[in-house]
Amino acid sequence: MNKVHLIGHLSADPTTRDTASTKITELRLVTDRPRIRDGKVQKDPDTGYTLKDAEFHKVTVFNGLGVPVREHKAKGDQLAIVGRIHYTKWTDADGNDRYGCEIVAEEIEFL
């Protein structure tokens, strides 16, 4: 099963581009996770709060699903996204193989 659930904030305003057959909206979603070293969650020595590391995700939204996002959401807004992981491979101008990973959104909820 290829299913991803993310809750995070937009790290930039959504962008949209048109192709011959569809509109594609791209999002940059930032999530955080506890910092773990040697199997232990790291705490800030001064405050005792859990230290966190940011993860940045490229999210692609096709057609009508992207309309409310691009019309009503901006950098800093929180979203919940359900989708799937999609991997791509291409050859760059120098003949090197390149790889990419993105989340293709299937559901988006405003939080």
Side-chain angles (χ1 to χ4, degrees):
M1 180 183 299
N2 182 358
K3 189 158 281 283
V4 175
H5 295 258
L6 298 172
I7 296 175
H9 292 87
L10 292 173
S11 64
D13 290 341
T15 60
T16 300
R17 61 188 164 89
D18 292 321
T19 67
S21 60
T22 188
K23 284 188 180 291
I24 300 171
T25 301
E26 291 186 350
L27 313 174
R28 297 286 178 191
L29 193 74
V30 62
T31 60
D32 58 24
R33 60 180 171 78
R35 184 178 297 168
I36 299 175
R37 290 224 171 90
D38 300 323
K40 296 180 184 174
V41 173
Q42 301 296 297
K43 302 278 186 180
D44 184 296
D46 298 325
T47 65
Y49 288 120
T50 299
L51 294 173
K52 297 187 177 185
D53 290 323
E55 301 266 358
F56 291 84
H57 311 275
K58 178 183 176 186
V59 180
T60 302
V61 188
F62 292 101
N63 296 320
L65 185 59
V67 171
V69 177
R70 67 179 170 261
E71 289 180 356
H72 301 290
K73 291 297 168 184
K75 180 179 179 178
D77 290 342
Q78 190 176 36
L79 297 174
I81 294 175
V82 177
R84 61 184 171 84
I85 298 174
H86 177 72
Y87 296 99
T88 55
K89 178 184 173 188
W90 70 95
T91 304
D92 67 13
D94 297 326
N96 299 312
D97 286 342
R98 300 289 183 176
Y99 301 89
C101 178
E102 65 187 338
I103 306 301
V104 176
E106 296 168 350
E107 300 173 33
I108 297 176
E109 185 175 334
F110 294 179
L111 302 176

